[in-house]
Amino acid sequence: LVFLMVVPASATHIIGGEMYYEHISGNQYRVTLDLYRDCGPDNQNGTGFDLSAQLGVFNSAGVLLFTQDISDPGETIVPVDLDDPCLSTPPEVCVATTRYEAILNLPPINGGYVISYQRCCRTPALTNLQGQQGLTCTIQVPAPPNAVNSSPRFNEYPPVALCLGRDMVIDQSATDPDGDQLVYSLCAPYQGADAIQPMPQPPSAPPYPLVNFAAGYTATSPINSAPPITIDAATGIINVHPTLQGAFTVGVCVSEYRSGTLLSTVRRDFMFKVVVCDVTVISSIQDQDDIC
């Protein structure tokens, strides 16, 4: 009983993550898992990242082939970038990130591979989800003839905060090492794990269920915005004008195509926090020796 009471309380800190990979040479791939946690007051227990994360490697039928444990290298604080020098966020806005990396041996197989990580639970501060839900970060390594491939990866951090009642332009573009075509969309994040088993080892097999949105919210309308939130399918630029203060889980997908064939999809799962931003305007006249 004590275990059941403690685990859910101590694990409500995750606010997002994403997974991608890079082909190194031969059958060697570097797999990267970026996780994000709340380091502000909503993380009431001050829960940090796990000392290690376990990846599950599955075939296309969902059969577990092997697992890989990765040590946490240490976290960094994500900078707040509002793209406006006159705006600042409240001091309690805080997001930390860590990067787990592993070198995996993945010889070409029919159907390719699915690599996954699961963790519960998301911060309870979320406005647009029903109840307490976990997260699954996953990526696909394609089958031959496209087995030699590197997935796209995002160029910028996700936005730490959005300003209530202001037009916000967010760059969520990605780069593909192979020069494949990239298509962007708003998508539903995946659920994963639960409060009773917050860090399943191994992770469960695919396919994975999508998050349960609260009434009025969907994958393409995950946040209160007027006009509605949009993403440019070709550039990954998001436009949003938040109209409700709160915390919202948003999924941003970048899908990789080669000669019309879908190779992989990187799914960024993140919490967009809408806050009342402070406006600081300083008006001054520079000293001038010569005035005409």
Side-chain angles (χ1 to χ4, degrees):
L1 289 175
V2 170
F3 173 80
L4 293 177
M5 289 185 292
V6 170
V7 169
S10 64
T12 54
H13 63 298
I14 294 295
I15 62 173
E18 68 223 31
M19 187 183 293
Y20 55 91
Y21 62 88
E22 174 191 5
H23 177 253
I24 301 174
S25 65
N27 298 329
Q28 302 294 305
Y29 292 78
R30 177 182 292 107
V31 178
T32 301
L33 170 66
D34 287 343
L35 289 181
Y36 303 93
R37 75 173 185 91
D38 191 341
C39 48
D42 288 335
N43 183 2
Q44 297 178 1
N45 297 287
T47 309
F49 290 110
D50 299 316
L51 295 179
S52 66
Q54 185 174 99
L55 303 182
V57 181
F58 303 86
N59 65 17
S60 60
V63 176
L64 179 67
L65 302 178
F66 65 92
T67 61
Q68 178 70 49
D69 292 320
I70 319 170
S71 297
D72 176 21
E75 68 177 38
T76 58
I77 301 300
V78 179
V80 179
D81 183 7
L82 298 176
D83 198 28
D84 188 330
C86 295
L87 297 176
S88 60
T89 58
E92 64 268 18
V93 175
C94 181
V95 172
T97 185
T98 193
R99 175 166 291 177
Y100 300 91
E101 289 188 334
I103 306 298
L104 302 184
N105 183 60
L106 302 174
I109 59 172
N110 291 333
Y113 297 90
V114 177
I115 306 170
S116 302
Y117 166 82
Q118 293 180 315
R119 189 64 165 90
C120 190
C121 297
R122 299 174 189 269
T123 176
L126 293 167
T127 305
N128 64 338
L129 296 188
Q130 296 180 12
Q132 192 175 58
Q133 301 181 50
L135 139 154
T136 296
C137 294
T138 185
I139 192 68
Q140 309 84 36
V141 178
N146 295 310
V148 176
N149 180 63
S150 295
S151 66
R153 68 285 315 272
F154 289 98
N155 297 321
E156 304 287 345
Y157 283 120
V160 172
L162 304 180
C163 294
L164 179 67
R166 293 187 174 272
D167 292 328
M168 308 293 293
V169 179
I170 307 164
D171 185 353
Q172 292 294 272
S173 61
T175 298
D176 185 79
D178 306 311
D180 295 318
Q181 180 190 7
L182 302 182
V183 178
Y184 303 88
S185 63
L186 296 173
C187 56
Y190 289 126
Q191 290 190 52
D194 55 38
I196 296 176
Q197 192 177 14
M199 190 171 56
Q201 295 184 345
S204 64
Y208 300 108
L210 301 175
V211 295
N212 293 317
F213 283 102
Y217 299 99
T218 65
T220 56
S221 183
I223 186 172
N224 299 77
S225 175
I229 185 174
T230 61
I231 187 169
D232 189 302
T235 66
I237 299 297
I238 292 176
N239 284 274
V240 61
H241 183 98
T243 58
L244 179 68
Q245 188 172 353
F248 304 85
T249 286
V250 178
V252 178
C253 283
V254 51
S255 297
E256 171 193 17
Y257 291 87
R258 184 179 300 168
S259 301
T261 299
L262 175 64
L263 302 186
S264 68
T265 298
V266 176
R267 188 177 301 251
R268 169 169 275 179
D269 175 343
F270 194 70
M271 180 186 78
F272 285 29
K273 190 163 188 176
V274 179
V275 298
V276 177
C277 294
D278 299 321
V279 181
T280 303
V281 179
I282 299 175
S283 178
S284 65
I285 299 175
Q286 296 295 323
D287 293 336
Q288 299 181 42
D289 295 330
D290 298 318
I291 301 177
C292 179

PDB file of all heavy atoms in Angstrom, residues 103-137:
ATOM      1  N   ILE A 103      24.481   3.080 -28.623  1.00  0.00           N
ATOM      2  CA  ILE A 103      24.858   2.530 -29.920  1.00  0.00           C
ATOM      3  C   ILE A 103      24.257   1.128 -30.004  1.00  0.00           C
ATOM      4  O   ILE A 103      24.565   0.263 -29.171  1.00  0.00           O
ATOM      5  CB  ILE A 103      26.385   2.462 -30.093  1.00  0.00           C
ATOM      6  CG1 ILE A 103      27.021   3.829 -29.839  1.00  0.00           C
ATOM      7  CG2 ILE A 103      26.722   1.949 -31.491  1.00  0.00           C
ATOM      8  CD1 ILE A 103      26.573   4.899 -30.805  1.00  0.00           C
ATOM      9  N   LEU A 104      23.389   0.908 -31.001  1.00  0.00           N
ATOM     10  CA  LEU A 104      22.716  -0.376 -31.158  1.00  0.00           C
ATOM     11  C   LEU A 104      23.166  -1.043 -32.450  1.00  0.00           C
ATOM     12  O   LEU A 104      23.390  -0.376 -33.465  1.00  0.00           O
ATOM     13  CB  LEU A 104      21.194  -0.193 -31.191  1.00  0.00           C
ATOM     14  CG  LEU A 104      20.541   0.488 -29.979  1.00  0.00           C
ATOM     15  CD1 LEU A 104      19.026   0.504 -30.151  1.00  0.00           C
ATOM     16  CD2 LEU A 104      20.934  -0.196 -28.680  1.00  0.00           C
ATOM     17  N   ASN A 105      23.266  -2.368 -32.393  1.00  0.00           N
ATOM     18  CA  ASN A 105      23.575  -3.163 -33.581  1.00  0.00           C
ATOM     19  C   ASN A 105      22.247  -3.647 -34.176  1.00  0.00           C
ATOM     20  O   ASN A 105      21.549  -4.464 -33.568  1.00  0.00           O
ATOM     21  CB  ASN A 105      24.464  -4.345 -33.206  1.00  0.00           C
ATOM     22  CG  ASN A 105      24.863  -5.153 -34.423  1.00  0.00           C
ATOM     23  OD1 ASN A 105      25.498  -4.648 -35.346  1.00  0.00           O
ATOM     24  ND2 ASN A 105      24.493  -6.430 -34.439  1.00  0.00           N
ATOM     25  N   LEU A 106      21.922  -3.133 -35.370  1.00  0.00           N
ATOM     26  CA  LEU A 106      20.622  -3.425 -35.991  1.00  0.00           C
ATOM     27  C   LEU A 106      20.827  -3.904 -37.428  1.00  0.00           C
ATOM     28  O   LEU A 106      20.704  -3.135 -38.373  1.00  0.00           O
ATOM     29  CB  LEU A 106      19.743  -2.168 -35.970  1.00  0.00           C
ATOM     30  CG  LEU A 106      19.461  -1.540 -34.600  1.00  0.00           C
ATOM     31  CD1 LEU A 106      18.711  -0.230 -34.767  1.00  0.00           C
ATOM     32  CD2 LEU A 106      18.694  -2.508 -33.715  1.00  0.00           C
ATOM     33  N   PRO A 107      21.143  -5.193 -37.604  1.00  0.00           N
ATOM     34  CA  PRO A 107      21.287  -5.704 -38.968  1.00  0.00           C
ATOM     35  C   PRO A 107      19.944  -5.648 -39.701  1.00  0.00           C
ATOM     36  O   PRO A 107      18.881  -5.743 -39.071  1.00  0.00           O
ATOM     37  CB  PRO A 107      21.745  -7.148 -38.751  1.00  0.00           C
ATOM     38  CG  PRO A 107      21.347  -7.489 -37.356  1.00  0.00           C
ATOM     39  CD  PRO A 107      21.394  -6.215 -36.581  1.00  0.00           C
ATOM     40  N   PRO A 108      19.953  -5.471 -41.023  1.00  0.00           N
ATOM     41  CA  PRO A 108      18.697  -5.352 -41.778  1.00  0.00           C
ATOM     42  C   PRO A 108      17.817  -6.590 -41.587  1.00  0.00           C
ATOM     43  O   PRO A 108      18.289  -7.727 -41.651  1.00  0.00           O
ATOM     44  CB  PRO A 108      19.163  -5.225 -43.225  1.00  0.00           C
ATOM     45  CG  PRO A 108      20.562  -4.721 -43.137  1.00  0.00           C
ATOM     46  CD  PRO A 108      21.133  -5.318 -41.890  1.00  0.00           C
ATOM     47  N   ILE A 109      16.512  -6.346 -41.327  1.00  0.00           N
ATOM     48  CA  ILE A 109      15.546  -7.446 -41.213  1.00  0.00           C
ATOM     49  C   ILE A 109      14.268  -7.038 -41.929  1.00  0.00           C
ATOM     50  O   ILE A 109      13.990  -5.843 -42.109  1.00  0.00           O
ATOM     51  CB  ILE A 109      15.214  -7.799 -39.743  1.00  0.00           C
ATOM     52  CG1 ILE A 109      14.637  -6.582 -39.007  1.00  0.00           C
ATOM     53  CG2 ILE A 109      16.431  -8.341 -39.011  1.00  0.00           C
ATOM     54  CD1 ILE A 109      14.120  -6.917 -37.609  1.00  0.00           C
ATOM     55  N   ASN A 110      13.479  -8.032 -42.325  1.00  0.00           N
ATOM     56  CA  ASN A 110      12.193  -7.761 -42.957  1.00  0.00           C
ATOM     57  C   ASN A 110      11.290  -7.007 -41.985  1.00  0.00           C
ATOM     58  O   ASN A 110      11.136  -7.399 -40.832  1.00  0.00           O
ATOM     59  CB  ASN A 110      11.511  -9.060 -43.372  1.00  0.00           C
ATOM     60  CG  ASN A 110      12.231  -9.752 -44.511  1.00  0.00           C
ATOM     61  OD1 ASN A 110      12.900  -9.095 -45.314  1.00  0.00           O
ATOM     62  ND2 ASN A 110      12.126 -11.066 -44.587  1.00  0.00           N
ATOM     63  N   GLY A 111      10.701  -5.915 -42.461  1.00  0.00           N
ATOM     64  CA  GLY A 111       9.805  -5.129 -41.622  1.00  0.00           C
ATOM     65  C   GLY A 111      10.506  -4.074 -40.793  1.00  0.00           C
ATOM     66  O   GLY A 111       9.859  -3.169 -40.280  1.00  0.00           O
ATOM     67  N   GLY A 112      11.825  -4.179 -40.628  1.00  0.00           N
ATOM     68  CA  GLY A 112      12.557  -3.188 -39.855  1.00  0.00           C
ATOM     69  C   GLY A 112      12.357  -3.339 -38.356  1.00  0.00           C
ATOM     70  O   GLY A 112      11.905  -4.371 -37.858  1.00  0.00           O
ATOM     71  N   TYR A 113      12.704  -2.271 -37.616  1.00  0.00           N
ATOM     72  CA  TYR A 113      12.667  -2.288 -36.157  1.00  0.00           C
ATOM     73  C   TYR A 113      11.765  -1.174 -35.619  1.00  0.00           C
ATOM     74  O   TYR A 113      11.578  -0.140 -36.271  1.00  0.00           O
ATOM     75  CB  TYR A 113      14.068  -2.064 -35.577  1.00  0.00           C
ATOM     76  CG  TYR A 113      15.077  -3.125 -35.906  1.00  0.00           C
ATOM     77  CD1 TYR A 113      15.866  -3.022 -37.053  1.00  0.00           C
ATOM     78  CD2 TYR A 113      15.274  -4.218 -35.070  1.00  0.00           C
ATOM     79  CE1 TYR A 113      16.820  -3.981 -37.359  1.00  0.00           C
ATOM     80  CE2 TYR A 113      16.232  -5.186 -35.370  1.00  0.00           C
ATOM     81  CZ  TYR A 113      16.992  -5.063 -36.511  1.00  0.00           C
ATOM     82  OH  TYR A 113      17.931  -6.016 -36.811  1.00  0.00           O
ATOM     83  N   VAL A 114      11.266  -1.390 -34.402  1.00  0.00           N
ATOM     84  CA  VAL A 114      10.603  -0.352 -33.612  1.00  0.00           C
ATOM     85  C   VAL A 114      11.353  -0.256 -32.287  1.00  0.00           C
ATOM     86  O   VAL A 114      11.523  -1.273 -31.593  1.00  0.00           O
ATOM     87  CB  VAL A 114       9.118  -0.663 -33.359  1.00  0.00           C
ATOM     88  CG1 VAL A 114       8.496   0.416 -32.466  1.00  0.00           C
ATOM     89  CG2 VAL A 114       8.356  -0.760 -34.677  1.00  0.00           C
ATOM     90  N   ILE A 115      11.816   0.934 -31.955  1.00  0.00           N
ATOM     91  CA  ILE A 115      12.548   1.161 -30.704  1.00  0.00           C
ATOM     92  C   ILE A 115      11.691   2.054 -29.820  1.00  0.00           C
ATOM     93  O   ILE A 115      11.182   3.092 -30.281  1.00  0.00           O
ATOM     94  CB  ILE A 115      13.908   1.819 -30.978  1.00  0.00           C
ATOM     95  CG1 ILE A 115      14.698   1.002 -32.003  1.00  0.00           C
ATOM     96  CG2 ILE A 115      14.706   1.967 -29.684  1.00  0.00           C
ATOM     97  CD1 ILE A 115      15.951   1.701 -32.505  1.00  0.00           C
ATOM     98  N   SER A 116      11.518   1.675 -28.540  1.00  0.00           N
ATOM     99  CA  SER A 116      10.559   2.388 -27.691  1.00  0.00           C
ATOM    100  C   SER A 116      11.084   2.580 -26.269  1.00  0.00           C
ATOM    101  O   SER A 116      11.909   1.803 -25.770  1.00  0.00           O
ATOM    102  CB  SER A 116       9.227   1.623 -27.632  1.00  0.00           C
ATOM    103  OG  SER A 116       8.697   1.455 -28.923  1.00  0.00           O
ATOM    104  N   TYR A 117      10.555   3.622 -25.647  1.00  0.00           N
ATOM    105  CA  TYR A 117      10.797   3.918 -24.228  1.00  0.00           C
ATOM    106  C   TYR A 117       9.483   4.392 -23.636  1.00  0.00           C
ATOM    107  O   TYR A 117       8.717   5.122 -24.286  1.00  0.00           O
ATOM    108  CB  TYR A 117      11.858   5.008 -24.076  1.00  0.00           C
ATOM    109  CG  TYR A 117      11.925   5.596 -22.685  1.00  0.00           C
ATOM    110  CD1 TYR A 117      12.625   4.952 -21.671  1.00  0.00           C
ATOM    111  CD2 TYR A 117      11.274   6.788 -22.375  1.00  0.00           C
ATOM    112  CE1 TYR A 117      12.680   5.483 -20.393  1.00  0.00           C
ATOM    113  CE2 TYR A 117      11.329   7.328 -21.101  1.00  0.00           C
ATOM    114  CZ  TYR A 117      12.031   6.666 -20.110  1.00  0.00           C
ATOM    115  OH  TYR A 117      12.069   7.194 -18.836  1.00  0.00           O
ATOM    116  N   GLN A 118       9.219   3.995 -22.375  1.00  0.00           N
ATOM    117  CA  GLN A 118       7.966   4.393 -21.728  1.00  0.00           C
ATOM    118  C   GLN A 118       8.230   4.897 -20.314  1.00  0.00           C
ATOM    119  O   GLN A 118       9.115   4.387 -19.611  1.00  0.00           O
ATOM    120  CB  GLN A 118       6.982   3.223 -21.677  1.00  0.00           C
ATOM    121  CG  GLN A 118       6.488   2.792 -23.052  1.00  0.00           C
ATOM    122  CD  GLN A 118       5.512   1.641 -22.982  1.00  0.00           C
ATOM    123  OE1 GLN A 118       5.725   0.672 -22.257  1.00  0.00           O
ATOM    124  NE2 GLN A 118       4.430   1.736 -23.750  1.00  0.00           N
ATOM    125  N   ARG A 119       7.420   5.904 -19.920  1.00  0.00           N
ATOM    126  CA  ARG A 119       7.552   6.453 -18.563  1.00  0.00           C
ATOM    127  C   ARG A 119       6.244   7.114 -18.148  1.00  0.00           C
ATOM    128  O   ARG A 119       5.552   7.745 -18.947  1.00  0.00           O
ATOM    129  CB  ARG A 119       8.674   7.495 -18.508  1.00  0.00           C
ATOM    130  CG  ARG A 119       9.026   7.969 -17.098  1.00  0.00           C
ATOM    131  CD  ARG A 119       9.580   6.835 -16.259  1.00  0.00           C
ATOM    132  NE  ARG A 119      10.237   7.266 -15.046  1.00  0.00           N
ATOM    133  CZ  ARG A 119       9.647   7.423 -13.860  1.00  0.00           C
ATOM    134  NH1 ARG A 119       8.336   7.248 -13.748  1.00  0.00           N
ATOM    135  NH2 ARG A 119      10.350   7.773 -12.806  1.00  0.00           N
ATOM    136  N   CYS A 120       5.888   6.945 -16.906  1.00  0.00           N
ATOM    137  CA  CYS A 120       4.766   7.630 -16.291  1.00  0.00           C
ATOM    138  C   CYS A 120       5.305   8.363 -15.059  1.00  0.00           C
ATOM    139  O   CYS A 120       6.260   7.875 -14.434  1.00  0.00           O
ATOM    140  CB  CYS A 120       3.701   6.622 -15.871  1.00  0.00           C
ATOM    141  SG  CYS A 120       2.112   7.320 -15.339  1.00  0.00           S
ATOM    142  N   CYS A 121       4.833   9.498 -14.750  1.00  0.00           N
ATOM    143  CA  CYS A 121       3.596  10.055 -15.284  1.00  0.00           C
ATOM    144  C   CYS A 121       3.824  11.514 -15.689  1.00  0.00           C
ATOM    145  O   CYS A 121       4.760  12.161 -15.230  1.00  0.00           O
ATOM    146  CB  CYS A 121       2.488   9.997 -14.270  1.00  0.00           C
ATOM    147  SG  CYS A 121       2.022   8.306 -13.788  1.00  0.00           S
ATOM    148  N   ARG A 122       2.943  11.970 -16.545  1.00  0.00           N
ATOM    149  CA  ARG A 122       2.986  13.377 -16.926  1.00  0.00           C
ATOM    150  C   ARG A 122       2.600  14.249 -15.733  1.00  0.00           C
ATOM    151  O   ARG A 122       1.898  13.811 -14.816  1.00  0.00           O
ATOM    152  CB  ARG A 122       2.013  13.639 -18.081  1.00  0.00           C
ATOM    153  CG  ARG A 122       2.325  12.860 -19.347  1.00  0.00           C
ATOM    154  CD  ARG A 122       1.226  13.069 -20.380  1.00  0.00           C
ATOM    155  NE  ARG A 122       1.390  12.168 -21.514  1.00  0.00           N
ATOM    156  CZ  ARG A 122       2.067  12.462 -22.613  1.00  0.00           C
ATOM    157  NH1 ARG A 122       2.642  13.658 -22.736  1.00  0.00           N
ATOM    158  NH2 ARG A 122       2.175  11.595 -23.595  1.00  0.00           N
ATOM    159  N   THR A 123       3.037  15.500 -15.790  1.00  0.00           N
ATOM    160  CA  THR A 123       2.686  16.433 -14.729  1.00  0.00           C
ATOM    161  C   THR A 123       1.168  16.557 -14.612  1.00  0.00           C
ATOM    162  O   THR A 123       0.453  16.580 -15.623  1.00  0.00           O
ATOM    163  CB  THR A 123       3.314  17.816 -14.990  1.00  0.00           C
ATOM    164  OG1 THR A 123       2.875  18.725 -13.978  1.00  0.00           O
ATOM    165  CG2 THR A 123       2.934  18.347 -16.355  1.00  0.00           C
ATOM    166  N   PRO A 124       0.623  16.632 -13.396  1.00  0.00           N
ATOM    167  CA  PRO A 124      -0.830  16.732 -13.226  1.00  0.00           C
ATOM    168  C   PRO A 124      -1.390  18.095 -13.601  1.00  0.00           C
ATOM    169  O   PRO A 124      -2.607  18.295 -13.572  1.00  0.00           O
ATOM    170  CB  PRO A 124      -1.018  16.462 -11.730  1.00  0.00           C
ATOM    171  CG  PRO A 124       0.272  16.904 -11.112  1.00  0.00           C
ATOM    172  CD  PRO A 124       1.337  16.572 -12.108  1.00  0.00           C
ATOM    173  N   ALA A 125      -0.522  19.030 -13.993  1.00  0.00           N
ATOM    174  CA  ALA A 125      -0.987  20.388 -14.291  1.00  0.00           C
ATOM    175  C   ALA A 125      -1.626  20.516 -15.668  1.00  0.00           C
ATOM    176  O   ALA A 125      -2.063  21.596 -16.049  1.00  0.00           O
ATOM    177  CB  ALA A 125       0.192  21.361 -14.191  1.00  0.00           C
ATOM    178  N   LEU A 126      -1.696  19.437 -16.455  1.00  0.00           N
ATOM    179  CA  LEU A 126      -2.164  19.523 -17.833  1.00  0.00           C
ATOM    180  C   LEU A 126      -3.651  19.840 -17.925  1.00  0.00           C
ATOM    181  O   LEU A 126      -4.479  19.259 -17.219  1.00  0.00           O
ATOM    182  CB  LEU A 126      -1.863  18.222 -18.565  1.00  0.00           C
ATOM    183  CG  LEU A 126      -0.378  17.939 -18.769  1.00  0.00           C
ATOM    184  CD1 LEU A 126      -0.147  16.510 -19.218  1.00  0.00           C
ATOM    185  CD2 LEU A 126       0.201  18.921 -19.777  1.00  0.00           C
ATOM    186  N   THR A 127      -3.977  20.756 -18.843  1.00  0.00           N
ATOM    187  CA  THR A 127      -5.349  21.220 -19.021  1.00  0.00           C
ATOM    188  C   THR A 127      -6.106  20.370 -20.036  1.00  0.00           C
ATOM    189  O   THR A 127      -7.317  20.182 -19.899  1.00  0.00           O
ATOM    190  CB  THR A 127      -5.346  22.685 -19.505  1.00  0.00           C
ATOM    191  OG1 THR A 127      -4.588  23.481 -18.587  1.00  0.00           O
ATOM    192  CG2 THR A 127      -6.749  23.243 -19.623  1.00  0.00           C
ATOM    193  N   ASN A 128      -5.422  19.844 -21.040  1.00  0.00           N
ATOM    194  CA  ASN A 128      -6.115  19.256 -22.191  1.00  0.00           C
ATOM    195  C   ASN A 128      -6.117  17.729 -22.221  1.00  0.00           C
ATOM    196  O   ASN A 128      -6.506  17.143 -23.230  1.00  0.00           O
ATOM    197  CB  ASN A 128      -5.513  19.789 -23.494  1.00  0.00           C
ATOM    198  CG  ASN A 128      -4.065  19.374 -23.689  1.00  0.00           C
ATOM    199  OD1 ASN A 128      -3.373  19.038 -22.733  1.00  0.00           O
ATOM    200  ND2 ASN A 128      -3.609  19.406 -24.930  1.00  0.00           N
ATOM    201  N   LEU A 129      -5.671  17.061 -21.146  1.00  0.00           N
ATOM    202  CA  LEU A 129      -5.709  15.604 -21.100  1.00  0.00           C
ATOM    203  C   LEU A 129      -6.621  15.121 -19.992  1.00  0.00           C
ATOM    204  O   LEU A 129      -6.814  15.811 -18.983  1.00  0.00           O
ATOM    205  CB  LEU A 129      -4.313  15.016 -20.890  1.00  0.00           C
ATOM    206  CG  LEU A 129      -3.278  15.242 -21.981  1.00  0.00           C
ATOM    207  CD1 LEU A 129      -2.022  14.425 -21.685  1.00  0.00           C
ATOM    208  CD2 LEU A 129      -3.808  14.889 -23.356  1.00  0.00           C
ATOM    209  N   GLN A 130      -7.175  13.920 -20.175  1.00  0.00           N
ATOM    210  CA  GLN A 130      -8.019  13.298 -19.160  1.00  0.00           C
ATOM    211  C   GLN A 130      -7.162  12.472 -18.207  1.00  0.00           C
ATOM    212  O   GLN A 130      -6.463  11.562 -18.634  1.00  0.00           O
ATOM    213  CB  GLN A 130      -9.052  12.382 -19.815  1.00  0.00           C
ATOM    214  CG  GLN A 130     -10.064  13.071 -20.702  1.00  0.00           C
ATOM    215  CD  GLN A 130     -11.044  12.080 -21.291  1.00  0.00           C
ATOM    216  OE1 GLN A 130     -11.106  10.925 -20.887  1.00  0.00           O
ATOM    217  NE2 GLN A 130     -11.807  12.531 -22.280  1.00  0.00           N
ATOM    218  N   GLY A 131      -7.210  12.795 -16.916  1.00  0.00           N
ATOM    219  CA  GLY A 131      -6.551  11.984 -15.911  1.00  0.00           C
ATOM    220  C   GLY A 131      -5.050  11.930 -16.044  1.00  0.00           C
ATOM    221  O   GLY A 131      -4.418  12.693 -16.773  1.00  0.00           O
ATOM    222  N   GLN A 132      -4.471  10.973 -15.315  1.00  0.00           N
ATOM    223  CA  GLN A 132      -3.023  10.820 -15.253  1.00  0.00           C
ATOM    224  C   GLN A 132      -2.579   9.850 -16.346  1.00  0.00           C
ATOM    225  O   GLN A 132      -3.019   8.700 -16.390  1.00  0.00           O
ATOM    226  CB  GLN A 132      -2.617  10.297 -13.880  1.00  0.00           C
ATOM    227  CG  GLN A 132      -1.136  10.357 -13.594  1.00  0.00           C
ATOM    228  CD  GLN A 132      -0.851   9.932 -12.168  1.00  0.00           C
ATOM    229  OE1 GLN A 132      -1.200   8.831 -11.762  1.00  0.00           O
ATOM    230  NE2 GLN A 132      -0.217  10.798 -11.396  1.00  0.00           N
ATOM    231  N   GLN A 133      -1.694  10.297 -17.222  1.00  0.00           N
ATOM    232  CA  GLN A 133      -1.260   9.472 -18.340  1.00  0.00           C
ATOM    233  C   GLN A 133       0.257   9.482 -18.451  1.00  0.00           C
ATOM    234  O   GLN A 133       0.908  10.462 -18.102  1.00  0.00           O
ATOM    235  CB  GLN A 133      -1.885   9.968 -19.652  1.00  0.00           C
ATOM    236  CG  GLN A 133      -3.408   9.975 -19.650  1.00  0.00           C
ATOM    237  CD  GLN A 133      -3.991  10.453 -20.965  1.00  0.00           C
ATOM    238  OE1 GLN A 133      -3.617   9.989 -22.032  1.00  0.00           O
ATOM    239  NE2 GLN A 133      -4.934  11.386 -20.893  1.00  0.00           N
ATOM    240  N   GLY A 134       0.790   8.383 -18.980  1.00  0.00           N
ATOM    241  CA  GLY A 134       2.216   8.282 -19.210  1.00  0.00           C
ATOM    242  C   GLY A 134       2.576   8.645 -20.635  1.00  0.00           C
ATOM    243  O   GLY A 134       1.765   9.210 -21.377  1.00  0.00           O
ATOM    244  N   LEU A 135       3.803   8.290 -21.032  1.00  0.00           N
ATOM    245  CA  LEU A 135       4.315   8.696 -22.335  1.00  0.00           C
ATOM    246  C   LEU A 135       5.102   7.549 -22.953  1.00  0.00           C
ATOM    247  O   LEU A 135       5.753   6.776 -22.259  1.00  0.00           O
ATOM    248  CB  LEU A 135       5.161   9.953 -22.159  1.00  0.00           C
ATOM    249  CG  LEU A 135       6.468  10.170 -22.894  1.00  0.00           C
ATOM    250  CD1 LEU A 135       6.727  11.659 -23.037  1.00  0.00           C
ATOM    251  CD2 LEU A 135       7.613   9.554 -22.106  1.00  0.00           C
ATOM    252  N   THR A 136       5.010   7.432 -24.278  1.00  0.00           N
ATOM    253  CA  THR A 136       5.840   6.505 -25.049  1.00  0.00           C
ATOM    254  C   THR A 136       6.594   7.291 -26.101  1.00  0.00           C
ATOM    255  O   THR A 136       5.982   8.010 -26.898  1.00  0.00           O
ATOM    256  CB  THR A 136       4.992   5.420 -25.742  1.00  0.00           C
ATOM    257  OG1 THR A 136       4.353   4.605 -24.757  1.00  0.00           O
ATOM    258  CG2 THR A 136       5.864   4.543 -26.633  1.00  0.00           C
ATOM    259  N   CYS A 137       7.911   7.188 -26.104  1.00  0.00           N
ATOM    260  CA  CYS A 137       8.743   7.718 -27.175  1.00  0.00           C
ATOM    261  C   CYS A 137       9.166   6.532 -28.032  1.00  0.00           C
ATOM    262  O   CYS A 137       9.668   5.534 -27.501  1.00  0.00           O
ATOM    263  CB  CYS A 137       9.975   8.430 -26.616  1.00  0.00           C
ATOM    264  SG  CYS A 137       9.604   9.912 -25.676  1.00  0.00           S
TER     265      CYS A 137
END
